Structures are given as structure tokens and as C-alpha cells.
Amino acid sequence: MKTVIIGGSATGMGVAAKLKRLNEQNEIVVIQDKDYVSLGACGIPYYIGHNFENPETLIARKIEKFEESQISVISNSKVNKIDFENKKVIFEESQISYDNLVIAVGAKPITPEIKNIDAKNIFTVNSKEDAIEIRKTINDDSNVLIIGSGLIGLEMVENIKHSTAAKISIIEKADRVLKNLFDEEFSELVEKEILNQEIELFKNNEVIEFVKDNNGKVTGAKTINGEIIKCDVVILSIGVIPNTSFLRDTDLELENNGAIKINEYCETNIPNVYAGGDCCSSLSYLYKNTRTFYLATVANKQAKIIANNVNKNKSSKFVGALGTTIIRFFDLELARTGENRMFIDMNSIETKEVLIKDKDHTNYVTGQEDIWLKVIIDVKTKEIINVQMIGKNKSVLRIYGLVGLIWSRSKVDETLEQIDLPYSPPFSRTTDIIHIALSKLI
């Protein structure tokens, strides 16, 4: 049995490794558009922030190691077309046949149509090459403009601030930061920290043109409000879209955003063709709606599901995801899980919610800090459908327990109110913030 995998990141290489473990006789070929595989792209901001020195640390496993396991990797090759009828993948000047095909091409950064966006020193955050160039370019005298205030944008801000004396500005099209993930109360706390760090934040604003000098290097960004933001380095962190443009006008079914439609077995509408990771839409755990998660955790789980089903048809199901996310922003730590506000409002789900501000541990121990917790339940099911937290000193790791409550579909009632959480002065208070929230929801 010959399996061809398009894409050499988390899903693709995860499928390859698992398939080989399941059956050493499986013939596996990976087609990758770069000269490396298994890039830990989530580490890019931390390389730029000088948390480690060697960019090769971003590579979880080298091509040579896969080839030692008899997994063939065709590198520096971009797939141009798939002939689904004849089971052939066409790339560069070659083609290869398959019995099973796995599409794991991931997502690509959104590059907006802005005048002079081709200027020098305008970067995306997507590849090892991006990481090396950004780190080499930014210095203490740089004026860095971050476009977008989502997770990647804020991670870039933190790491550039920690590693250089560069002046940093953020421009955000929405009326607040992290709008797609957190409610307003949490955005306000993050924005306060942005100001505390002496970072200029432009909200309800966007770049319409980049200014460049005679050498083609960016020197400024003209906004829709008319001002020109001085910058010699620009980081595009607006978001990503599925990297599936080569699949349009084929028989493969895609969502409106280009994500590949898959079922619970990670099968597409075409027999023997599977997809997973950032290039596809996936089931949401709670309401079984489809979403594109763009999360490495989801990609890794789907790699296992795909490999199991290629090895033995329909033997493994992907049950869904919650979109659980955690981020550090200077001293602040944020975590969230569950359906977002937009989905809740669009589907007119009747909810009850509580927002609690408390302390993360007792005043017997130094370093006591504020912690905020929002819990939203579905009134009809009495199940938790959204949790948001912000705090310091890893206090938001309570999210692990709350994810467990959501995953098990626990009812918010008097029994759950008495959940036996641990207590010790350095870690919590006798009545933890989780207990307080549950008490107010029953």
C-alpha cells in the first residue's frame, strides 16, 4: 500500500511516522515544498526573542531521521495539481501515483493587498527563513510595526520587547485586541499592559499604503485615518488561511474560506483521500459545527486519526476540538476554551455567565496576584460552553481542570459545586475561584 502525503509539517509527518509504526511495510512518500520538515512554527517568536540561539532547534525531526525509517521525503517540491480520477500527484516536472493520499498543506499567512507591500523588511511569521531574517533585521534602533493583535502578533511584541530596545507599535483593525478569542473585559487588561510596556496601540485602524525609500526599504505606514506610522520593520500577523488554492476548481469539496471539508474519519468527499490540520475544517466538540482551528494540538490528533484509518478503514474517529488556547504576554497569562462569543450570539444560545475577580492564592504567601475567570453555560444543557481566564504566575493553568469539565459534559449543579479541588496557601485559597464561579451559576 502506497501513501503519498502532501505537506511536511505536524499533520503530514505525524501521519508518516504513525503509519510506519503501525506497519513497517507501508510505502510512504512525503512531498514537501521546503528543504526541511517538522517545523515547530510556534517557536518562531521565541527564537526571535533570543530564548534559544540555533534556528535548527525549530526542527523537531530532520529528513534524514525519517529516511532512516524508510519514509521517503521529496523536498523543495511544490504540488501543482492532483489528478484524483487517476490517483496521481503532479509536482514540478514529475508525477507520482498513490493508493491513499493525505493532504496536509497547512495554512499560509494572510497578505493584504496594500500598496508597496513588496517593500523590504516586511515579514510574515511562517517559516524558518522568516525567523532568521526577522531576528537578523531587528535591532535596538528599529521601529517595528506589528499589524494585527492576535496570538502571534502579541507573542512577537513580547519577544521583540524582551530581546531589543526597538520601538514597537501595534495597529489593529478591530476596536480591541484579541477580539476573536476573548471578551471585552480581558481585552481591556491586555491593552492596559500594552500601554504599561510603552507600546503604541492604534485601534479601529488599518494600513492602506507603505512608504518606502529609494532602496525599496519600508520607512512608514500610512493609515486609513491619515497618519503615517514611522517603521523600518513590519510584521504581518493578520491571520492565516488554508493553503489550498491549488485545489480550487477540482472535485474536492472546500469551505468558503478554502478549508477542505472532512468527516469524523478525516476523509474528504473523494475516496482514499484524507486531510487534516490547518488546511481543513474540523468538528467542534460541543455543538458539532465545523471550524478551522489553526492549532498544532488539533493537527497532531488528526495525524493519528488519519494514520489509523489509512491502516484500517474507519477504525478511528476525531470527536472534535474546543479551540483551547493559552498565551503569555509579559507578566499576564491568558487562557480560553470552548465556543466563542460570535458563535453563541449567531446561534441564539441561551446562556448564563459569571465573571469573577479574585486572588490566585492566600495572603499568607508573598506574590499574591489578581485572577479573573469568566464561565458561560448553556442554560438548556447546564453544561459549560466557554471559559476565559487571565492572571499571573501560571494561575491560569486551572484551565486544564475546566477543560476536563467541558469534555466530560459535566452538569453545573450542586454536585459539581462541591468538586474536590486542592488547597495549599502557595497555590490557591480555601474556596477557589472555580468554586466561586460554579456557586454563582447553579
Side-chain angles (χ1 to χ4, degrees):
M1 182 178 65
K2 183 177 182 180
T3 299
V4 173
I5 300 169
I6 307 173
S9 291
T11 305
M13 303 318 295
V15 171
K18 177 71 173 177
L19 261 181
K20 205 59 162 175
R21 290 195 299 271
L22 289 170
N23 186 345
E24 291 185 355
Q25 302 306 311
N26 281 326
E27 182 182 358
I28 303 166
V29 179
V30 179
I31 305 173
Q32 167 70 332
D33 61 358
K34 295 180 175 62
D35 62 0
Y36 54 84
V37 296
S38 297
L39 174 71
C42 54
I44 292 175
Y46 300 94
Y47 170 71
I48 292 166
H50 292 251
N51 289 271
F52 55 95
E53 296 303 314
N54 186 355
E56 293 305 313
T57 303
L58 292 166
I59 307 301
R61 191 180 183 192
K62 294 187 179 296
I63 289 175
E64 293 77 15
K65 289 295 182 181
F66 284 100
E67 290 179 337
E68 287 175 8
S69 302
Q70 304 303 309
I71 296 169
S72 176
V73 178
I74 303 172
S75 58
N76 292 314
S77 298
K78 187 172 183 178
V79 172
N80 311 114
K81 182 181 177 183
I82 302 173
D83 181 349
F84 291 111
E85 185 175 352
N86 295 300
K87 290 192 171 184
K88 291 181 179 180
V89 176
I90 296 93
F91 59 98
E92 306 300 334
E93 302 298 323
S94 304
Q95 63 180 31
I96 188 171
S97 61
Y98 63 84
D99 297 308
N100 293 290
L101 177 66
V102 178
I103 304 173
V105 290
K108 61 182 180 180
I110 295 172
T111 304
E113 294 184 3
I114 299 174
K115 186 177 180 181
N116 294 331
I117 199 167
D118 60 343
K120 296 175 183 176
N121 291 356
I122 298 178
F123 301 100
T124 56
V125 186
N126 187 55
S127 66
K128 185 177 74 171
E129 294 80 5
D130 290 337
I132 294 168
E133 285 301 310
I134 293 170
R135 177 163 158 168
K136 184 170 65 175
T137 301
I138 296 175
N139 56 54
D140 290 344
D141 298 319
S142 296
N143 288 286
V144 182
L145 175 62
I146 309 288
I147 302 183
S149 64
L151 299 176
I152 296 298
L154 294 185
E155 286 177 344
M156 289 296 292
V157 168
E158 181 199 34
N159 280 282
I160 293 169
K161 182 75 172 179
H162 276 162
S163 59
T164 73
K167 183 180 184 299
I168 305 171
S169 302
I170 305 170
I171 187 166
E172 170 56 53
K173 187 176 181 180
D175 59 348
R176 57 185 177 88
V177 303
L178 293 172
K179 186 170 184 176
N180 292 334
L181 293 171
F182 291 90
D183 287 349
E184 189 171 355
E185 302 91 343
F186 298 85
S187 295
E188 288 177 358
L189 293 169
V190 174
E191 290 174 10
K192 182 178 178 181
E193 182 63 21
I194 289 171
L195 296 178
N196 288 342
Q197 296 292 334
E198 298 181 341
I199 295 164
E200 194 164 11
L201 174 61
F202 299 86
K203 296 185 293 184
N204 289 308
N205 210 338
E206 57 185 302
V207 175
I208 57 172
E209 180 182 350
F210 290 109
V211 181
K212 58 183 180 179
D213 62 18
N214 293 333
N215 296 316
K217 181 180 175 182
V218 65
T219 60
K222 185 177 181 181
T223 75
I224 199 169
N225 292 337
E227 64 261 85
I228 294 180
I229 304 171
K230 183 181 178 182
C231 57
D232 48 38
V233 179
V234 175
I235 308 294
L236 300 175
S237 55
I238 301 168
V240 294
I241 54 173
N243 189 24
T244 56
S245 57
F246 73 105
L247 296 170
R248 293 195 179 275
D249 302 318
T250 70
D251 291 335
L252 195 69
E253 291 184 359
L254 305 176
E255 305 283 2
N256 290 335
N257 69 343
I260 301 168
K261 293 183 179 182
I262 58 172
N263 62 15
E264 59 195 344
Y265 302 104
C266 293
E267 298 170 322
T268 70
N269 64 300
I270 297 175
N272 303 108
V273 178
Y274 300 81
D278 293 356
C279 66
C280 68
S281 60
S282 304
L283 278 178
S284 179
Y285 181 75
L286 289 171
Y287 294 97
K288 304 307 178 187
N289 51 302
T290 56
R291 294 166 59 186
T292 309
F293 285 99
Y294 305 122
L295 292 171
T297 49
V298 174
N300 287 332
K301 292 167 191 170
Q302 290 180 333
K304 179 179 179 180
I305 301 299
I306 292 169
N308 287 341
N309 289 330
V310 169
N311 188 65
K312 183 179 179 182
N313 189 40
K314 293 188 181 348
S315 61
S316 197
K317 290 183 180 181
F318 179 70
V319 298
L322 293 170
T324 307
T325 303
I326 192 166
I327 180 175
R328 183 188 71 193
F329 186 63
F330 298 101
D331 289 338
L332 292 181
E333 297 156 353
L334 296 93
R336 57 89 56 211
T337 190
E339 295 294 350
N340 61 25
R341 179 69 65 180
M342 183 182 297
F343 176 85
I344 292 169
D345 292 344
M346 286 180 61
N347 289 274
S348 301
I349 298 170
E350 185 182 358
T351 61
K352 184 177 181 181
E353 65 182 66
V354 62
L355 175 67
I356 306 294
K357 178 186 177 184
D358 198 43
K359 299 295 183 180
D360 56 2
H361 62 259
T362 69
N363 58 1
Y364 312 145
V365 180
T366 59
Q368 186 188 59
E369 296 284 356
D370 291 339
I371 181 172
W372 298 73
L373 169 64
K374 176 175 277 191
V375 180
I376 304 175
I377 65 169
D378 184 323
V379 170
K380 183 178 179 181
T381 64
K382 294 185 178 180
E383 296 172 3
I384 301 171
I385 61 171
N386 177 279
V387 171
Q388 301 167 55
M389 300 188 76
I390 189 167
K392 297 181 180 180
N393 303 324
K394 297 184 172 59
S395 61
V396 300
L397 292 181
R398 288 168 168 82
I399 195 77
Y400 283 90
L402 290 163
V403 167
L405 297 183
I406 297 174
W407 203 257
S408 62
R409 296 187 177 275
S410 299
K411 305 295 182 184
V412 177
D413 55 20
E414 289 186 359
T415 300
L416 191 63
E417 182 190 12
Q418 298 175 43
I419 188 170
D420 194 7
L421 300 176
Y423 160 69
S424 179
F427 300 105
S428 60
R429 304 175 78 183
T430 51
T431 302
D432 190 73
I433 193 169
I434 294 175
H435 283 126
I436 298 170
L438 293 174
S439 294
K440 291 183 177 296
L441 285 167
I442 60 174

